[in-house]
């Protein structure tokens, strides 16, 4: 949660590092969410929305519009 808050502050302030922190936070969250079904040996229904949300967040950040957030505002 701290990484997401830090990335929001950086993105709203127009800092270049905000995008990097946002991508890192989403990637870490996705990896941790994927690890849970592997540890349990099966996918539970409560994991599916988290996988969808973190994957969508990562795809949005890596899209053309999301990459424009890396540029500092003038």
């Amino acid at each position: 949660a701290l990484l997401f808050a830090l990335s929001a502050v950086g993105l709203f302030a127009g800092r270049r590092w905000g995008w990097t922190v946002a991508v890192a936070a989403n990637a870490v969250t996705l990896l941790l969410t994927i690890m849970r079904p592997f540890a349990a040996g099966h996918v539970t229904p409560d994991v599916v929305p988290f996988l969808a949300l973190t994957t969508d967040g990562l795809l949005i950040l890596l899209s053309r519009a999301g990459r424009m957030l890396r540029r500092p505002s003038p």
Side-chain angles (χ1 to χ4, degrees):
L2 183 62
L3 285 176
F4 283 110
L6 186 62
S7 67
V9 169
L11 288 172
F12 286 127
R15 304 289 186 214
R16 190 178 189 116
W17 53 263
W19 183 86
T20 306
V21 174
V23 170
N26 277 289
V28 167
T29 302
L30 182 61
L31 289 174
L32 291 175
T33 305
I34 288 172
M35 286 175 56
R36 183 174 168 198
F38 281 123
H42 63 281
V43 176
T44 56
D46 63 329
V47 173
V48 175
F50 293 122
L51 288 172
L53 286 172
T54 55
T55 302
D56 288 346
L58 209 54
L59 289 175
I60 289 170
L61 284 168
L62 296 175
S63 70
R64 182 182 300 234
R67 285 191 313 264
M68 289 177 62
L69 293 171
R70 289 188 295 184
R71 298 184 185 141
S73 56

